[in-house]
Amino acid sequence: MNRFFAGLSRNVVRYRWVVILFWIALAVVSSKALPSLSSEVNNDNSQFLSASEPSSRAAALLDPILGNSTTESQLNIVVGRTNRPLDASDNAALQREAAAARKVSRVVSVRELATSPSGKAAQLLVTARINQADISRLTTLANGLRSTFASARAPAGLQLHLAGTIATNVANQKSSNSAGGRTQGLTFILILVLLLVIFRSPLAPILTLLPAAFALIVSMRFIGGLGVHGLKISEITQLLLIVLLLGAGTDYGLFLVFRVREEMSRGRSSHEAVIHALERVGESISASAGTVIFALLSLLFASFGVYHDLGLPLALGVAVMLIAGLTLLPALLAIAGRGLFWPVRPKRGPAREGAWGRIAAQLVRRPAITLALGVVFFGALSFGALAYHSSGFGGALNAPAGSDAAAGNAIVAAQFPRSSVNPANLVFHFTKPVYDDPSVLQRAEKDLAASGTFRQLAGPLDGSGFALSPARYQALHAALGNPAALPARPPAGSKVSPIEYDAFRTTIAYVSPDGRTVQYEATLRAGGQASTSALDATPHVRAVVTRVAHEVGASESGVAGQAAALYDVSSTSNGDLLRIIPIAIAAIAVLLALVLRSLVAPLYLIVSVALSYLAALGLSSLIFIKLAGNAGLTFILPFLMFIFLLALGEDYNILVMTRIREEAHRRPLREAVVYAVGRTGPTVTSAGLVLAGTFGVLVVGAGSGPGSGQIRDIGVGLAIGILMDTFLVRTLLVPSTVALLGRWNWWPSRLTMDQPLEPKEETTAPTLEHVD
């Protein structure tokens, strides 16, 4: 393998300008030819559930009422006043807006829904031929509808806004773009500051970060192209791609730059130092990236779409980053030469142990005590994981403050008190039309209300706020026919009162045209659909709906809505965690065995990751649940924490263990441990601080909008895990284990001192000299 990297390094250094021009051209071409990643982000995590989940089946039952989600999308346009009921001029503006909306691309129908009980607001229901998961086209639709508001020529004081779930999702997609841009900017600033502190040089930080930046630009375009062709991309994918590529990419850059500095200090020329450094650490960098790629590709076995669709984009990004790290970075370092570390430069000098060398020297004298204390410490923190309880993370469920959708949703909430922008949908399917026996509608609503589970219910007989009796509903259907075909106002000479006419027209939102599917929109006593309490109440809500369905003779029933979807998401996520863990562990263990030429070392390295994972989850649970008083941790955190700690933790394992193995050819094993930890300790510490810092950026980059709290939890949880892994596991526990096991570390291979040090090599080590 070293021969491969030796050949690669020589060619990259020789053709360094060609390599740099290639990456510039790739970034320019991909930016011009492929769509942006941000344009494909979907904030509704329920869209990532499989069709077999109970909430998905319930949503499918609703298709006859709400339309097929794979082919149709519905947005509401709300028109309202705050000071008085709508008048004739307002209604004329409403008609002009309906006519303008019908001309928007992909709109297939626009119909006027009921006027509010106060008379101060009315709604238009816009149906478009767009898949509800196609966030790019939905954004275009929403922008097109908003652009028609001027055509309504609204009188002074009349407000027009978009409202509803899809309008909220589109508004949050725009907010996610802002969060992504903020996260990216803050991550760049943080990494540059940390690298300036580490290198004390203006050029080294820029060149170390530059390949990761190129990899991010190219990867975001490639993934945006996959989004156009059907890959669903969640907000968390976008944010994690930014912090992963910039953080881990900088880490791999540090692996190489630190080794280049070490080789320069041994008297090598700048080109020779780059060639020799890449030859030595190229395998470590490739294996480190390989562990991340393997761990991410194991997500393809997940059932939950967010995880399944998270693996491929991130794995693609890491692969691009690896190629940049092995080609673009060495080319840049070769051009920079010794000016890379200006005004500080490496020089030859007497050996200095350094802090990590002194720590390693102490721990190898008493490795058993160090290991025992570490296991006790991590084991104690692991008990905190017993406090873990999952909470929701369905993406942002409310529109960002100040957005058009937020204003529209506020009007709906105020003027249509029996409606909800984000309700629980209780669905019943009957074998016969309910028009034949509307009493089942009254009995179902009465039984649902009697359960005490719902704070508010809206259904066919009272959806507009005016109650219809079953007999009157049946008579109106006989006289007027399909409510979907009725005009907004009663025909001249109609004997039906306007309020009854309006109430009957409203039933189209609750009863399918064939009369066999019925829904009730409910507000739960447990809390809003975004709350953990509503998520936890889902099994009880489903039990109530199933019982009522049996009592009224419905053939099928279900519960749809955000809380039910999030409950299924959480359950699926927990199941995926149990399924993915052994797959990811097996894949990475095989890779470790190949890199380290050992069957023993991978075992304790994997155990160290598991111990670190449980301790980090336990500490996060104590901080957020016990101390901060949160209802739970977002369901996605344990999953991401395991995948990233397993993959990124093994990065540092590989760097430390391959250096120990390299030095063990030249020194007795315990001396090799001391020397290797002394040399890799600063690299691992610097890399860990950079990576933890990039995850910590999510705390600030998430902003203050809906869903930001869960993103902050993810950032803090992952940062805690990385820091514990960096300062305790990789630099203390793993070297202690190596010292205890001795030659058994490398079983079944045999490692001997076949390259003993020459005397002069033992007296030189990297030092730094200021350039005047």
Side-chain angles (χ1 to χ4, degrees):
M1 186 63 72
N2 281 349
R3 285 200 295 182
F4 168 79
F5 288 106
L8 174 65
S9 60
R10 293 184 186 281
N11 283 314
V12 168
V13 170
R14 179 181 301 169
Y15 302 108
R16 51 194 177 278
W17 288 108
V18 175
V19 171
I20 291 172
L21 290 174
F22 168 80
W23 278 99
I24 293 173
L26 182 61
V28 171
V29 171
S30 61
S31 297
K32 295 290 185 181
L34 297 171
S36 67
L37 172 64
S38 59
S39 67
E40 301 299 322
V41 171
N42 191 329
N43 276 286
D44 185 0
N45 284 343
S46 64
Q47 293 281 347
F48 295 84
L49 277 172
S50 72
S52 62
E53 295 299 328
S55 58
S56 298
R57 295 200 304 270
L61 278 179
L62 275 170
D63 283 353
I65 299 175
L66 302 182
N68 190 323
S69 63
T70 62
T71 59
E72 292 183 355
S73 297
Q74 294 181 336
L75 284 84
N76 291 55
I77 298 176
V78 61
V79 178
R81 287 187 175 275
T82 57
N83 54 350
R84 61 172 176 79
L86 303 179
D87 59 18
S89 63
D90 297 329
N91 286 323
L94 181 66
Q95 298 306 315
R96 289 192 293 271
E97 173 55 31
R102 290 186 182 97
K103 298 177 182 178
V104 174
S105 177
R106 293 184 175 270
V107 170
V108 294
S109 69
V110 178
R111 61 183 303 271
E112 186 178 343
L113 297 178
T115 302
S116 67
S118 67
K120 295 180 180 179
Q123 293 187 71
L124 296 174
L125 181 65
V126 180
T127 302
R129 192 172 288 109
I130 300 175
N131 187 316
Q132 290 182 19
D134 191 342
I135 192 66
S136 179
R137 285 194 172 96
L138 288 174
T139 300
T140 301
L141 172 66
N143 292 337
L145 290 174
R146 271 192 294 270
S147 69
T148 65
F149 291 170
S151 302
R153 302 192 301 280
L158 184 67
Q159 301 180 47
L160 286 85
H161 300 285
L162 297 182
T165 302
I166 290 178
T168 299
N169 196 15
V170 168
N172 281 313
Q173 193 261 355
K174 182 178 180 180
S175 177
S176 295
N177 294 346
S178 300
R182 186 165 53 246
T183 299
Q184 186 170 315
L186 290 172
T187 303
F188 271 115
I189 293 171
L190 175 71
I191 292 175
L192 284 174
V193 170
L194 289 175
L195 292 179
L196 280 170
V197 173
I198 291 168
F199 289 118
R200 291 174 289 165
S201 163
L203 185 57
I206 295 173
L207 296 190
T208 303
L209 181 58
L210 202 55
F214 267 86
L216 180 63
I217 292 170
V218 173
S219 299
M220 292 179 81
R221 292 293 175 169
F222 283 173
I223 297 166
L226 292 176
V228 170
H229 290 88
L231 179 70
K232 294 180 181 177
I233 302 170
S234 66
E235 178 184 16
I236 197 65
T237 301
Q238 180 185 27
L239 295 177
L240 286 178
L241 182 73
I242 293 170
V243 298
L244 177 62
L245 293 199
L246 294 182
T250 303
D251 278 6
Y252 300 154
L254 287 171
F255 290 2
L256 182 60
V257 174
F258 268 102
R259 191 61 185 257
V260 167
R261 187 171 71 176
E262 183 178 336
E263 296 301 329
M264 285 183 178
S265 72
R266 290 175 173 168
R268 299 183 189 275
S269 69
S270 57
H271 286 186
E272 289 176 344
V274 173
I275 292 170
H276 193 75
L278 185 57
E279 180 182 350
R280 291 296 184 183
V281 301
E283 183 178 9
S284 298
I285 293 173
S286 300
S288 297
T291 62
V292 180
I293 292 171
F294 277 20
L296 292 171
L297 290 180
S298 69
L299 298 180
L300 295 175
F301 294 94
S303 300
F304 180 35
V306 165
Y307 298 155
H308 183 276
D309 295 333
L310 180 71
L312 185 59
L314 295 188
L316 174 62
V318 174
V320 173
M321 182 182 69
L322 172 61
I323 298 171
L326 294 177
T327 56
L328 179 58
L329 180 57
L332 293 170
L333 298 181
I335 291 172
R338 290 186 175 270
L340 175 68
F341 301 107
W342 181 89
V344 177
R345 69 182 182 188
K347 63 170 273 187
R348 294 173 67 89
R352 295 193 304 179
E353 266 191 325
W356 283 112
R358 292 191 295 272
I359 292 172
Q362 292 297 320
L363 69 87
V364 297
R365 291 193 183 100
R366 299 179 182 83
I369 294 176
T370 303
L371 184 60
L373 290 176
V375 170
V376 169
F377 174 75
F378 279 94
L381 286 180
S382 297
F383 278 104
L386 296 175
Y388 168 74
H389 179 72
S390 64
S391 65
F393 183 38
L397 303 178
N398 300 311
S403 65
D404 178 70
N409 292 343
I411 294 176
V412 172
Q415 300 299 327
F416 297 86
R418 298 191 66 82
S419 296
S420 173
V421 174
N422 188 26
N425 305 95
L426 317 180
V427 195
F428 301 89
H429 182 74
F430 297 87
T431 56
K432 296 188 301 182
V434 295
Y435 306 130
D436 298 342
D437 182 16
S439 64
V440 298
L441 301 176
Q442 189 176 56
R443 293 205 312 272
E445 186 164 353
K446 181 179 178 181
D447 290 348
L448 289 170
S451 71
T453 305
F454 309 104
R455 182 165 56 85
Q456 182 173 284
L457 286 164
L461 299 181
D462 55 9
S464 69
F466 178 82
L468 295 172
S469 68
R472 187 56 182 158
Y473 175 74
Q474 188 174 38
L476 288 171
H477 182 267
L480 301 174
N482 181 6
L486 296 177
R489 304 287 181 270
S494 173
K495 297 181 180 180
V496 178
S497 68
I499 193 169
E500 283 190 330
Y501 184 87
D502 210 28
F504 182 69
R505 283 187 71 250
T506 303
T507 63
I508 190 60
Y510 301 96
V511 182
S512 63
D514 66 2
R516 288 180 167 84
T517 303
V518 176
Q519 76 147 330
Y520 295 86
E521 293 185 345
T523 303
L524 305 184
R525 291 191 183 278
Q529 291 287 287
S531 66
T532 300
S533 55
L535 181 152
D536 293 338
T538 296
H540 174 67
V541 174
R542 285 174 172 164
V544 169
V545 170
T546 300
R547 175 178 57 79
V548 171
H550 178 72
E551 292 171 354
V552 299
S555 59
E556 292 182 80
S557 65
V559 180
Q562 289 287 353
L566 291 182
Y567 179 84
D568 291 341
V569 163
S570 182
S571 300
T572 304
S573 174
N574 293 335
D576 280 342
L577 186 61
L578 297 177
R579 182 184 304 109
I580 296 303
I581 283 178
I583 297 174
I585 286 176
I588 290 179
V590 170
L591 184 60
L592 287 174
L594 293 173
V595 172
L596 301 177
R597 288 86 163 168
S598 168
L599 296 179
V600 174
L603 298 179
Y604 63 76
L605 295 179
I606 293 292
V607 169
S608 73
V609 168
L611 196 60
S612 174
Y613 164 70
L614 291 174
L617 180 59
L619 185 57
S620 298
S621 299
L622 292 175
I623 291 173
F624 292 114
I625 298 177
K626 294 300 183 182
L627 296 181
N630 293 353
L633 291 175
T634 175
F635 69 86
I636 202 172
L637 178 58
F639 197 96
L640 293 180
M641 190 178 286
F642 179 81
I643 291 297
F644 282 105
L645 289 186
L646 175 66
L648 298 173
E650 296 302 353
D651 285 0
Y652 304 153
N653 272 336
I654 289 171
L655 180 68
V656 173
M657 292 295 290
T658 53
R659 188 60 186 265
I660 291 174
R661 185 180 180 89
E662 178 186 338
E663 297 302 329
H665 284 286
R666 302 147 58 89
R667 295 174 168 85
L669 182 60
R670 292 204 174 193
E671 288 183 21
V673 170
V674 173
Y675 190 89
V677 171
R679 294 298 171 266
T680 61
T683 307
V684 171
T685 302
S686 302
L689 286 173
V690 168
L691 193 58
T694 57
F695 282 119
V697 163
L698 291 177
V699 176
V700 180
S704 57
S708 59
Q710 292 92 334
I711 293 175
R712 282 195 292 271
D713 288 359
I714 292 172
V716 172
L718 290 173
I720 288 172
I722 292 295
L723 290 175
M724 292 173 63
D725 213 61
T726 299
F727 287 96
L728 298 176
V729 178
R730 306 302 146 222
T731 46
L732 298 177
L733 299 189
V734 170
S736 298
T737 306
V738 174
L740 279 173
L741 291 178
R743 63 186 179 86
W744 292 104
N745 281 288
W746 320 111
W747 186 88
S749 66
R750 301 180 64 182
L751 190 148
T752 58
M753 285 180 55
D754 52 5
Q755 303 168 20
L757 288 171
E758 297 179 12
K760 65 178 181 179
E761 290 184 272
E762 300 185 36
T763 60
T764 59
T767 62
L768 294 175
E769 179 185 67
H770 234 294
V771 178
D772 296 326

